[in-house]
Amino acid sequence: RVLDVFARDEDDPLSESLRYARNQAISKIVKHERITWEQKADVATLLGLQFSPKQEEILRDEHQIRVTRAGRRGGKTWLAAFEAVAVMVKKPGAFLWVVAPDLRFTYRCWEVIVEFLDKLVAQGVVQYKRKSDSQTRMIIELTNGSRVEGESAQEGKNLQGVALDAVILDEI
């Protein structure tokens, strides 16, 4: 299931390597039981978050692949990072990727994920361990076995060989 795919404008077509990377990432998703809106709302309450009607509509959507198009500063990355955290917290053992055109873009979403997780740690809800702190290798593992990795789409061939519970494609 693709958490959120952030589409570019039609006049800004994907490069061939990004298209390949996107297709590789999507092909790695395995079928699994998805978390419910109620579970997402529970995590949102713990984080003290409120959603706009459009954001709630996106989070409630049951489709396997969702595309979110919105203007700049519309909260797309923030919403995707929230859903990644909700999946990690409510689905023990989940394995997720955050993929963007390059590691600089991946790191933007990564920082939001870490911010959300830090809030949950402060409340005693979860514990996590960063397996890497650099912007070249991003891995976080929760004590419940859930894991998220930050990846770059620059080399789409590197996005092979794993089965994922979810993937966020940001700015692809």
Side-chain angles (χ1 to χ4, degrees):
R1 132 181 104 107
V2 175
L3 294 180
D4 283 293
V5 181
F6 303 126
R8 294 172 165 262
D9 293 333
E10 291 177 12
D11 59 347
D12 184 16
L14 290 172
S15 71
E16 189 62 35
S17 64
L18 288 180
R19 187 173 294 111
Y20 177 80
R22 178 193 62 201
N23 293 340
Q24 283 296 315
I26 290 172
S27 72
K28 302 302 175 202
I29 300 168
V30 295
K31 286 220 178 249
H32 73 284
E33 186 178 321
R34 90 181 262 153
I35 66 170
T36 64
W37 160 249
E38 290 75 20
Q39 290 173 302
K40 294 175 195 176
D42 181 44
V43 175
T45 300
L46 292 169
L47 291 169
L49 303 179
Q50 293 185 336
F51 303 110
S52 71
K54 275 297 196 191
Q55 289 172 326
E56 186 174 326
E57 179 183 343
I58 292 165
L59 291 171
R60 285 180 178 269
D61 190 279
E62 294 289 325
H63 289 93
Q64 180 177 358
I65 298 174
R66 288 178 279 153
V67 177
T68 303
R69 291 189 63 146
R72 290 184 182 173
R73 309 286 308 154
K76 301 176 297 290
T77 298
W78 180 87
L79 192 64
F82 163 75
E83 188 154 5
V85 169
V87 169
M88 291 173 64
V89 169
K90 292 297 184 175
K91 184 172 176 32
F95 184 26
L96 298 83
W97 271 355
V98 175
V99 182
D102 60 38
L103 287 173
R104 181 177 58 91
F105 280 106
T106 303
Y107 195 70
R108 289 189 334 194
C109 187
W110 195 257
E111 288 178 313
V112 180
I113 290 171
V114 169
E115 178 184 327
F116 288 150
L117 287 174
D118 285 345
K119 288 180 180 179
L120 294 173
V121 166
Q123 296 179 38
V125 176
V126 297
Q127 293 294 317
Y128 74 91
K129 180 174 158 185
R130 283 188 188 207
K131 298 270 184 151
S132 173
D133 289 322
S134 72
Q135 287 188 26
T136 58
R137 190 74 177 136
M138 294 175 256
I139 302 170
I140 291 177
E141 194 168 284
L142 271 60
T143 53
N144 72 1
S146 292
R147 177 182 176 113
V148 61
E149 295 184 5
E151 300 288 344
S152 167
Q154 283 180 325
E155 291 293 325
K157 295 175 186 167
N158 294 338
L159 302 176
Q160 298 181 15
V162 298
L164 300 168
D165 291 292
V167 63
I168 295 170
L169 302 175
D170 195 3
E171 300 292 344
I172 294 182

